[in-house]
Amino acid sequence: METCELEEMVYSALKNNSEMMELLPKGESSIFHFKAPSVYPDFPILVYGQISDVPTLHGDNREKLHRVTIRIHIITGEGDYAALYSAVKNIMGEMGFTRVQATPFIDQDGVRMMIADFKIVIGG
C-alpha cells in the first residue's frame, strides 16, 4: 500500500465516523489535508497528513515493510479538544495505528490545539 492510499483511508475513516461528524461544525468540510486555510473557518477543525514514511524491512532488494506516521492537528480555537481527541484516538486505533505522542499547543494568536502522531507498519 502506498502512503497516499493510507492518507485516503484516514480521511475516509474520519469523515465516515458519525461521532466525529457530530463534533465538527461543518462535518467533512472541517477536515483538511496538510494545511489549514489561512483564515480559520468555524472551529473546531482537523488537519491531517503524513510526517514520515520510513522503510523497516527489506528483502530480495525490495522494500517489504514501511512505517508511516500520520499527524493530526485538532484545532479548537478557544475550546476544549478532549472529545475530539478521544474520537480521533478511537478511529486511528480501529485502523491499526498506534499513538506515538500527543502535544497540546497554543499558537501566538491563542488558538488551542492538540497535535497527535499515529504510526502504522504497512507492506511496501
Side-chain angles (χ1 to χ4, degrees):
M1 174 187 307
E2 294 297 325
T3 304
C4 60
E5 295 170 304
L6 183 63
E7 287 180 314
E8 289 173 14
M9 290 173 57
V10 168
Y11 174 69
S12 181
L14 292 170
K15 76 174 186 167
N16 290 322
N17 182 280
S18 58
E19 178 186 1
M20 180 64 65
M21 291 299 99
E22 289 175 12
L23 294 169
L24 295 172
K26 294 188 176 179
E28 68 182 90
S29 295
S30 297
I31 303 173
F32 300 91
H33 185 242
F34 277 124
K35 184 178 177 186
S38 58
V39 176
Y40 287 124
D42 295 338
F43 289 115
I45 63 173
L46 301 179
V47 181
Y48 73 98
Q50 165 207 331
I51 61 166
S52 69
D53 183 345
V54 180
T56 58
L57 180 66
H58 290 83
D60 298 327
N61 294 323
R62 295 186 61 213
E63 181 180 303
K64 300 291 186 180
L65 298 174
H66 57 123
R67 183 183 66 244
V68 178
T69 303
I70 300 289
R71 177 167 287 167
I72 300 178
H73 290 75
I74 303 166
I75 305 172
T76 60
E78 295 179 4
D80 183 30
Y81 46 71
L84 275 165
Y85 181 48
S86 178
V88 166
K89 287 191 303 185
N90 289 338
I91 292 166
M92 297 301 280
E94 289 171 2
M95 294 180 65
F97 282 85
T98 302
R99 187 176 65 85
V100 176
Q101 66 181 358
T103 305
F105 185 78
I106 300 176
D107 74 6
Q108 71 268 11
D109 296 324
V111 176
R112 291 181 55 167
M113 63 188 80
M114 173 62 81
I115 304 166
D117 294 347
F118 300 89
K119 71 177 179 179
I120 192 168
V121 175
I122 55 178

